[in-house]
Coordinates of all heavy atoms in Angstrom, one line a residue:
T34 N 64.7 75.6 82.9 CA 64.6 74.2 83.0 C 64.5 73.7 84.4 O 63.7 72.8 84.7 CB 65.9 73.6 82.3 OG1 66.0 74.0 81.0 CG2 65.9 72.1 82.4
A35 N 65.2 74.3 85.3 CA 65.2 73.9 86.7 C 63.9 74.1 87.4 O 63.3 73.3 88.0 CB 66.3 74.6 87.5
T36 N 63.3 75.3 87.2 CA 62.0 75.6 87.8 C 60.9 74.8 87.2 O 60.0 74.3 88.0 CB 61.6 77.1 87.7 OG1 61.6 77.5 86.3 CG2 62.6 78.0 88.4
L37 N 60.9 74.6 85.9 CA 59.9 73.8 85.3 C 60.0 72.3 85.7 O 59.0 71.7 86.1 CB 60.0 73.9 83.8 CG 59.0 73.1 83.0 CD1 57.5 73.5 83.4 CD2 59.2 73.4 81.5
A38 N 61.2 71.8 85.7 CA 61.4 70.4 86.2 C 61.0 70.2 87.6 O 60.3 69.2 87.9 CB 62.9 70.0 86.0
A39 N 61.3 71.1 88.5 CA 61.0 71.0 89.9 C 59.4 71.1 90.1 O 58.9 70.4 90.9 CB 61.6 72.1 90.7
S40 N 58.8 71.9 89.3 CA 57.3 72.0 89.4 C 56.5 70.8 89.1 O 55.4 70.6 89.5 CB 56.8 73.3 88.7 OG 56.8 73.0 87.3
V41 N 57.1 70.0 88.2 CA 56.4 68.7 87.8 C 57.1 67.5 88.4 O 56.7 66.3 88.1 CB 56.3 68.6 86.3 CG1 55.4 69.6 85.7 CG2 57.7 68.6 85.6
G42 N 58.1 67.7 89.2 CA 58.7 66.6 89.9 C 59.6 65.7 89.1 O 59.6 64.5 89.2
L43 N 60.3 66.3 88.1 CA 61.2 65.6 87.2 C 62.6 66.2 87.3 O 62.7 67.3 87.8 CB 60.7 65.8 85.8 CG 59.4 65.1 85.3 CD1 59.1 65.5 83.9 CD2 59.5 63.6 85.5
T44 N 63.5 65.5 86.8 CA 64.9 66.0 86.7 C 64.9 66.8 85.4 O 64.1 66.6 84.5 CB 65.9 65.0 86.7 OG1 65.7 64.1 85.5 CG2 65.9 64.1 87.9
S45 N 65.9 67.6 85.2 CA 66.0 68.4 83.9 C 66.2 67.4 82.8 O 65.6 67.6 81.7 CB 67.2 69.3 84.0 OG 67.0 70.3 85.0
G46 N 67.0 66.4 83.0 CA 67.2 65.4 81.9 C 65.8 64.7 81.5 O 65.6 64.5 80.3
A47 N 65.1 64.4 82.5 CA 63.8 63.7 82.3 C 62.8 64.7 81.5 O 62.0 64.2 80.7 CB 63.1 63.3 83.5
L48 N 62.9 65.9 81.8 CA 62.1 66.9 81.1 C 62.3 66.9 79.6 O 61.4 66.9 78.8 CB 62.4 68.3 81.7 CG 61.6 69.5 81.3 CD1 60.2 69.4 81.9 CD2 62.2 70.8 81.7
F49 N 63.6 66.8 79.2 CA 63.9 66.8 77.8 C 63.8 65.4 77.2 O 64.2 65.2 76.0 CB 65.3 67.4 77.6 CG 65.2 68.9 77.8 CD1 65.7 69.5 79.0 CD2 64.5 69.7 76.9 CE1 65.6 70.9 79.2 CE2 64.4 71.1 77.1 CZ 64.9 71.7 78.3
R50 N 63.3 64.4 77.9 CA 62.9 63.1 77.2 C 61.6 63.4 76.6 O 61.2 62.6 75.7 CB 62.9 62.0 78.2 CG 64.3 61.4 78.5 CD 64.3 60.1 79.1 NE 63.7 60.0 80.4 CZ 64.3 60.2 81.6 NH1 65.6 60.4 81.5 NH2 63.7 60.1 82.7
H51 N 60.8 64.3 77.1 CA 59.5 64.6 76.6 C 59.4 65.7 75.6 O 58.6 65.7 74.7 CB 58.5 65.0 77.8 CG 58.3 63.9 78.8 ND1 57.5 62.8 78.5 CD2 58.9 63.6 80.0 CE1 57.5 62.0 79.5 NE2 58.3 62.4 80.4
F52 N 60.4 66.6 75.7 CA 60.5 67.8 74.7 C 62.0 68.0 74.4 O 62.8 67.9 75.2 CB 59.9 69.1 75.4 CG 58.5 69.0 75.6 CD1 58.0 68.7 76.9 CD2 57.5 69.3 74.6 CE1 56.6 68.7 77.2 CE2 56.2 69.3 74.9 CZ 55.7 69.0 76.1
D53 N 62.2 68.3 73.1 CA 63.6 68.5 72.8 C 64.1 69.9 72.9 O 65.3 70.1 72.7 CB 63.9 68.0 71.3 CG 63.1 68.7 70.3 OD1 62.4 69.7 70.6 OD2 63.0 68.3 69.1
S54 N 63.3 70.8 73.3 CA 63.8 72.2 73.5 C 62.7 73.0 74.3 O 61.6 72.6 74.4 CB 64.0 72.9 72.1 OG 62.7 73.0 71.5
R55 N 63.2 74.2 74.7 CA 62.2 75.1 75.4 C 61.2 75.6 74.5 O 60.0 75.7 74.8 CB 63.0 76.3 76.0 CG 62.3 77.3 76.8 CD 63.3 78.3 77.3 NE 62.6 79.2 78.2 CZ 62.3 80.5 77.9 NH1 62.4 80.9 76.7 NH2 61.7 81.3 78.8
A56 N 61.5 75.8 73.2 CA 60.6 76.2 72.2 C 59.5 75.2 72.0 O 58.3 75.5 71.9 CB 61.3 76.5 70.9
A57 N 59.9 73.9 72.1 CA 58.8 72.8 71.9 C 57.9 72.8 73.1 O 56.7 72.5 73.0 CB 59.6 71.5 71.8
I58 N 58.4 73.1 74.3 CA 57.6 73.2 75.5 C 56.6 74.4 75.4 O 55.4 74.2 75.6 CB 58.4 73.4 76.8 CG1 59.2 72.1 77.0 CG2 57.5 73.7 78.0 CD1 60.3 72.3 78.1
L59 N 57.1 75.5 74.9 CA 56.2 76.7 74.7 C 55.1 76.4 73.6 O 54.0 76.8 73.8 CB 57.0 77.9 74.3 CG 57.8 78.5 75.5 CD1 58.8 79.6 74.9 CD2 57.0 79.0 76.6
D60 N 55.5 75.7 72.6 CA 54.6 75.3 71.5 C 53.5 74.4 72.1 O 52.3 74.7 71.7 CB 55.3 74.6 70.4 CG 54.5 74.4 69.2 OD1 54.1 75.4 68.5 OD2 54.1 73.2 68.9
E61 N 53.9 73.5 72.9 CA 52.8 72.6 73.5 C 52.0 73.3 74.5 O 50.8 73.1 74.6 CB 53.5 71.4 74.2 CG 52.5 70.4 74.7 CD 51.7 69.7 73.6 OE1 52.0 69.7 72.5 OE2 50.6 69.1 74.0
A62 N 52.6 74.3 75.2 CA 51.8 75.1 76.1 C 50.7 75.9 75.4 O 49.6 76.0 75.8 CB 52.7 76.1 76.9
V63 N 51.0 76.4 74.2 CA 50.0 77.1 73.4 C 48.9 76.1 72.9 O 47.7 76.4 73.0 CB 50.7 77.8 72.1 CG1 49.7 78.2 71.2 CG2 51.6 78.9 72.6
R64 N 49.3 74.9 72.5 CA 48.3 73.9 72.1 C 47.3 73.6 73.2 O 46.2 73.5 73.0 CB 49.0 72.6 71.6 CG 49.7 72.8 70.3 CD 50.4 71.5 69.9 NE 51.2 71.6 68.8 CZ 50.8 71.7 67.5 NH1 49.5 71.6 67.2 NH2 51.7 71.9 66.5
V65 N 47.9 73.4 74.4 CA 47.1 73.1 75.6 C 46.1 74.2 75.9 O 45.0 74.1 76.1 CB 48.0 72.8 76.8 CG1 47.2 72.7 78.1 CG2 48.7 71.4 76.6
G66 N 46.7 75.5 75.9 CA 45.9 76.6 76.1 C 44.8 76.8 75.1 O 43.6 77.1 75.5

Side-chain angles (χ1 to χ4, degrees):
T34 301
T36 57
L37 184 55
S40 72
V41 291
L43 294 174
T44 64
S45 295
L48 189 70
F49 288 105
R50 282 199 293 271
H51 296 282
F52 294 97
D53 60 8
S54 67
R55 184 174 186 259
I58 293 169
L59 289 171
D60 188 69
E61 185 63 19
V63 170
R64 289 180 190 279
V65 167

